[in-house]
Amino acid sequence: MPKIQAVRPGSLAEELELEPGDEIKSINGQPIKDIIDYQFAITDEAIELEVIKSNGEEWLIDVEKGYDETLGVDWEHPTVDRIKLCHNKCVFCFVDQIPGNMRQTLNMRDDDYRLSFLHGNFVTLTNLKQADLERIARLKMSPLNISVHTTNPELRNFMVGHKKAGEILNQIAYLAEHEIEMNTQIVLCPGMNDGEELDRTIRELAPYWPQVRTLSVVPVGLTKHRRGLAEIRSVTPEEADRVISQVEAWQEKFLQEKGAAFVHAADEFYVMAGREVPPAERYDEFAQTENGVGLIRNFLDELEEIKEQIPSSLKERRHVAVVTGMSPADTIRRGIRLLENVGNLRVDLHVIRNDFYGHMVTVTGLITGFDIVAQLKDTCTADLVMIPDIMLKDDADIFLDDYTVDRLSAELGKPVLVLPANATGLIKGALGMTDKLPPRRRYEATLAHSGMLGCAGGF
Ligand code: SF4
């Protein structure tokens, strides 16, 4: 039975005197087996709640509530029952590429379609039974994010490390037939699923558009902590250039045939190849920014919009440091150049080398507090350090190495400002116009399955 872990202040649950440790036996007579049952049951406006109190008492409560009003509780597990774990052994898995003493959520090998529906996690579908597919179809659990990597059955069995992985096209066909929208991804491993294999995957997924709404191609990311994984190597700049040309050729065809680009190369390919990212119209409403697709284009377009708001001078002297990864550094420099002539303002860019995961890791989202301190402590002369939110866990101010923002600030001896990882965050943060900035983005949920290990475009 779903057990309540916390009751949020001012919530319906608090009004009903529900407490941590209480269990929900049923809603309107329906047993609640997982978060999906709960989400559907709680939408009724008149509900009968059967509760087992932590002291063993049984309560039956009738509640009148709004359609979109929930109990306002946190559950012991995010899926209410246990999270479905993966039984795969992907050749690029992030969990096999981190030091052994990282926090539990980074070691979590989840592969749970419910978390894909609710939070956008990428799933492989290898642990789905027919009953799960039917449930997804019946409850219209859409959209889902699916890691495909290749539609070649033997190759997918190998890359995902599961003997049923090759059934992916049948599963996608079933979901498409039942009108489930899917965003899909390929983690590109050179010499494995690139070249003709990449063409095959694009060609075999395209007929399922518009149900398969987008297909992203992201480069595999490797750290210095790899253990027990297949021999793979990073994408070279020449290969990145070829992937972009291949993807853009398919885009041309799909734009003519479907009016949508459908397949997208991740920003990281454009950075590696030194090529300008495509215009916004090519990004199909930016469906995969969390996967590092379109962040640079968003950033550059946002800069164009915000530059009119940049004043010629500040009233008081301001000296700030901007911290970023190596991959987006050139994009961030384009933003900082717009601030060069603002009187009384000095902005220093600090590009952090990733000593923690290894120098092949260049994205901002994988920078640790330890590396920032080590590289800024003796060089940073600014009065304030600005960091983008994608360096931190989504619901807490901690870095991947468990450094807190407070600890970073104490060790640097300066205040640290956390800002949205976009052009508005950079410009408004630098100018001290930080009120009314958008909320922080989610990040850690998709980390384990993402070959590129983070996002290129965050400053
Ligand atoms: S990448 Fe994801 S699906 Fe693959 S082994 Fe790792 S956790 Fe499992």
Side-chain angles (χ1 to χ4, degrees):
M1 271 183 292
K3 189 184 269 189
I4 294 172
Q5 187 179 56
V7 173
R8 295 187 207 135
S11 65
L12 180 60
E14 187 179 64
E15 201 182 306
L16 299 173
E17 298 180 8
L18 300 182
E19 297 162 307
D22 293 351
E23 293 176 320
I24 307 297
K25 191 172 174 189
S26 70
I27 296 177
N28 286 340
Q30 293 297 319
I32 303 298
K33 291 198 213 75
D34 70 3
I35 188 72
I36 303 298
D37 285 345
Y38 167 74
Q39 297 256 2
F40 278 89
I42 204 69
T43 55
D44 283 349
E45 291 179 348
I47 59 170
E48 187 186 70
L49 211 57
E50 220 179 335
V51 181
I52 310 288
K53 297 288 292 175
S54 52
N55 62 8
E57 284 178 18
E58 288 200 28
W59 287 12
L60 200 59
I61 312 169
D62 285 313
V63 189
E64 298 281 331
K65 54 174 269 305
Y67 168 78
D68 53 2
E69 194 179 7
T70 64
L71 290 176
V73 297
D74 294 325
W75 304 103
E76 200 175 15
H77 303 288
T79 50
V80 170
D81 63 351
R82 300 239 170 239
I83 290 178
K84 292 183 194 300
L85 299 177
C86 95
H87 301 129
N88 306 328
K89 189 117 186 68
C90 296
V91 292
F92 47 74
C93 180
F94 179 70
V95 179
D96 292 320
Q97 296 197 63
I98 58 176
N101 55 352
M102 305 296 283
R103 62 173 173 264
Q104 206 195 345
T105 49
L106 293 171
N107 279 298
M108 173 78 80
R109 291 176 197 265
D110 62 282
D111 198 15
D112 195 317
Y113 67 92
R114 300 164 304 177
L115 293 179
S116 185
F117 173 58
L118 294 172
H119 301 302
N121 294 21
F122 273 91
V123 287
T124 63
L125 309 186
T126 55
N127 59 1
L128 254 59
K129 301 190 179 77
Q130 184 57 29
D132 295 318
L133 283 169
E134 285 168 12
R135 185 184 194 212
I136 292 170
R138 190 176 65 253
L139 298 178
K140 294 272 173 260
M141 294 171 66
S142 177
L144 296 179
N145 285 347
I146 301 174
S147 290
V148 175
H149 309 316
T150 172
T151 51
N152 175 338
E154 292 79 36
L155 182 58
R156 191 166 192 266
N157 284 351
F158 169 73
M159 288 189 73
V160 176
H162 194 290
K163 61 179 189 299
K164 289 193 179 158
E167 294 170 13
I168 188 69
L169 262 188
N170 290 337
Q171 293 172 311
I172 285 178
Y174 179 90
L175 294 172
E177 195 184 313
H178 290 84
E179 301 291 321
I180 302 299
E181 190 177 285
M182 292 161 269
N183 290 302
T184 54
Q185 75 161 349
I186 293 170
V187 172
L188 193 101
C189 302
M192 205 176 279
N193 60 344
D194 56 351
E196 286 178 15
E197 292 292 348
L198 177 60
D199 279 333
R200 172 178 173 170
T201 305
I202 297 169
R203 191 171 56 244
E204 292 186 342
L205 284 175
Y208 297 104
W209 182 89
Q211 287 79 28
V212 175
R213 184 174 164 216
T214 55
L215 169 62
S216 67
V217 187
V218 303
V220 67
L222 308 175
T223 80
K224 67 179 183 185
H225 302 286
R226 287 171 62 75
R227 53 183 186 277
L229 293 175
E231 280 293 311
I232 43 177
R233 61 173 176 81
S234 303
V235 174
T236 64
E238 294 72 29
E239 286 166 339
D241 192 65
R242 279 204 294 277
V243 169
I244 294 168
S245 300
Q246 199 175 350
V247 165
E248 290 192 349
W250 279 104
Q251 287 183 338
E252 298 291 343
K253 173 176 156 59
F254 294 141
L255 281 165
Q256 280 185 10
E257 289 173 8
K258 307 174 191 294
F262 177 65
V263 59
H264 306 275
D267 294 358
E268 193 65 12
F269 283 112
Y270 289 88
V271 172
M272 283 192 273
R275 282 171 65 165
E276 189 73 11
V277 293
E281 313 83 79
R282 283 271 175 126
Y283 280 100
D284 292 341
E285 296 172 0
F286 293 92
Q288 292 211 39
T289 49
E290 296 282 316
N291 210 13
V293 180
L295 284 169
I296 293 179
R297 173 46 58 207
N298 264 339
F299 189 96
L300 296 175
D301 289 355
E302 238 182 279
L303 272 186
E304 278 303 306
E305 280 172 30
I306 203 171
K307 71 181 186 189
E308 306 302 325
Q309 297 176 37
I310 296 174
S312 57
S313 183
L314 296 182
K315 286 203 183 84
E316 290 174 7
R317 182 188 160 279
R318 188 171 169 86
H319 182 186
V320 299
V322 174
V323 174
T324 191
M326 298 178 86
S327 172
D330 284 345
T331 306
I332 307 310
R333 277 194 194 96
R334 287 162 79 164
I336 291 177
R337 271 203 289 277
L338 295 177
L339 300 166
E340 267 170 8
N341 296 323
V342 177
N344 268 336
L345 177 65
R346 177 174 160 188
V347 183
D348 298 336
L349 180 64
H350 291 266
V351 181
I352 304 295
R353 188 184 61 242
N354 199 322
D355 292 330
F356 188 87
Y357 284 110
H359 299 170
M360 288 182 294
V361 178
T362 56
V363 294
T364 303
L366 287 188
I367 289 175
T368 56
F370 182 85
D371 278 349
I372 297 176
V373 171
Q375 291 170 52
L376 258 65
K377 197 158 180 38
D378 299 325
T379 57
C380 180
T381 56
D383 304 315
L384 171 76
V385 174
M386 293 174 19
I387 62 165
D389 54 9
I390 57 167
M391 290 183 185
L392 304 175
K393 191 171 185 288
D394 47 356
D395 55 356
D397 281 348
I398 54 172
F399 290 84
L400 288 163
D401 59 352
D402 286 345
Y403 251 70
T404 62
V405 172
D406 286 348
R407 181 176 170 192
L408 181 75
S409 172
E411 293 189 13
L412 291 175
K414 306 173 191 295
V416 172
L417 187 60
V418 181
L419 293 162
N422 53 32
T424 307
L426 172 71
I427 300 294
K428 291 198 170 176
L431 293 167
M433 302 158 59
T434 48
D435 55 334
K436 296 192 188 142
L437 278 171
R440 287 171 49 177
R441 74 167 96 205
R442 298 185 67 79
Y443 170 59
E444 201 159 287
T446 58
L447 196 57
H449 323 280
S450 169
M452 68 174 299
L453 309 176
C455 303
F459 77 79

